[in-house]
Amino acid sequence: MSSAETTGRMTAISGSVAEIRFPGAVPRIGTLLLAGEARDIRIEVASLVAADTVRGLVLNPGPELRLGMAVHSTGRPLSVPVGDALLGRMLNVFGETIDGGSDLVDLPRRSIHGRPVPLARRRVEGEIFETGIKAIDLLSPLERGGKAGLYGGAGVGKTVLITEMIHNMVAEYEGVSLFCGIGERSREAEELYREMDAAGVLERTVMVFGQMNESPGVRFRVGHAALTMAEYFRDDMRSDVLVLIDNIFRFVQAGSEVSGLLGRIPSRVGYQPSLGTELADLEERICSTESGRMTSIQAVYVPADDFTDPAATHTFSHLSASIVLSRKKASQGLYPAIDPLRSYSKMLTPGTVSDRHYRVARDVRNALSQYEDLKDIIAMLGMEELSEQDRATVSRARRLERFLTQPFFTTEQFTGKPGRFVALEDTLESCEAILGDAFSDRPESDFYMIGTVAELEDADAA
């Protein structure tokens, strides 16, 4: 373009997509356009449809949107503010505060379209990130500087689990935490803000939301905006950054909506043909460098509990740990409803974790796997038809199943049970005791919703 700003006219509007004709050179894809008398309607150029016409996503449509309206090109992409002043604040995709506090002024801004770090500059860790949640630390340990996914259908506890991780990890975490809500309910955003404030960790946290009622363009871009802020803390402030995303499926869903609005032919199961590329553009920006480590935990909604859904399978490929939540476990009241046989972590290998951790995790998984194989026989013939060895295995597995439940700090007000943070060493010690039949005389119910087996010993002493 010959100047930093040119003016065009709106020639078509369809939902949250508009076509704008420019008399001269058209703006590039990704350029931010402004419309309205106050220039407060923001449009991002998404495609070029003719030599003089662009098609753009209206990020915040308003009632004044009309044909013939003047549209001004800024000549630059959508950007967000960066700096220490973001800490403790709740923001939207434009970098505007939505927490009722003062506006952020005079902060430098950066384009949300950052590039992934080149492979030569990336840093690989191999260190465990302890969460204090027994089932995760034992069977699917998270990697510091890696990406972990929480997979599950509707209502199995993804948001509760990620909120508990925030409670447990942010308080112990020495770096900066960034929470990105993609397609969140406004109720969840408000509750999370209050919980972070009450826990005293808000001053080291940035919260970015693209809420459920906002346009698909906002929900599609809020993840990029959040990662731009996270990259500032990693690269400029040389801090470790913990990025929590809820929910990555909403990003895929927003991309599908955007693709449909732009008239692209859908691909498998109705998803956009560019699903893999769009997801990779976001996920590949999450990595560690010599400046600092960026660790990510992402909730992933699984449509209809179908783990072969393209959104789920594409996300799997980017993760170092996958924690699968089971509706069957949830229906049995075994919370967190983690499926130990379907969850995995690349960290759980000899040489990465301690020999003791690997041995205990393998034995726990073997016991639970054998119990799963015996369930059909038990259902048809009863426990009496099992051999003595199999009965002992079932008894051990059922105790382990109940021991891997855990009362959460974030659900205390609903359950009346005080939350527990359980160190990995305590989890290993307790599992070794159960595997060694140290508590074979106790009923299974005693192992439900406790922290460690030391609580059983304390109860006996009392």
Side-chain angles (χ1 to χ4, degrees), residues 182 216-217 219-220 249-259 272:
I182 304 177
R219 287 179 274 121
F220 185 61
F249 173 78
R250 304 291 176 206
F251 167 77
V252 174
Q253 191 177 46
S256 181
E257 290 179 55
V258 166
S259 181
Q272 63 272 39

Side-chain angles (χ1 to χ4, degrees), residues 315-456:
T315 309
F316 264 125
S317 63
H318 293 281
L319 306 176
S320 57
S322 293
I323 298 152
V324 177
L325 302 180
S326 158
R327 190 169 303 282
K328 187 176 179 182
K329 296 275 185 191
S331 68
Q332 293 170 340
L334 300 173
Y335 290 103
I338 295 171
D339 188 332
L341 302 179
R342 297 174 75 186
S343 303
Y344 86 97
S345 169
K346 74 171 192 179
M347 298 292 287
L348 196 59
T349 55
T352 306
V353 298
S354 67
D355 291 342
R356 180 192 184 201
H357 183 172
Y358 180 74
R359 186 188 71 251
V360 172
R362 182 194 60 202
D363 291 347
V364 167
R365 192 164 275 165
N366 284 345
L368 294 173
S369 177
Q370 289 173 39
Y371 174 42
E372 193 67 31
D373 292 340
L374 292 168
K375 278 184 177 178
D376 287 342
I377 297 173
I378 294 169
M380 290 186 291
L381 304 176
M383 284 279 287
E384 297 75 18
E385 297 301 315
L386 297 181
S387 67
E388 189 175 331
Q389 184 179 351
D390 284 346
R391 281 201 296 270
T393 298
V394 169
S395 176
R396 210 173 291 130
R398 288 177 64 85
R399 284 177 171 79
L400 286 168
E401 248 185 356
R402 280 145 188 78
F403 173 72
L404 291 176
T405 62
Q406 189 167 339
F408 282 175
F409 293 98
T410 51
T411 58
E412 280 182 14
Q413 57 182 321
F414 307 112
T415 63
K417 292 179 178 290
R420 304 279 201 285
F421 180 101
V422 184
L424 176 58
E425 283 302 309
D426 294 335
T427 301
L428 295 176
E429 192 174 318
S430 297
C431 288
E432 282 176 332
I434 296 170
L435 288 165
D437 295 331
F439 298 95
S440 56
D441 56 329
R442 301 197 67 117
E444 296 166 0
S445 57
D446 285 2
F447 296 84
Y448 182 70
M449 288 293 171
I450 62 172
T452 66
V453 292
E455 293 177 28
L456 301 178

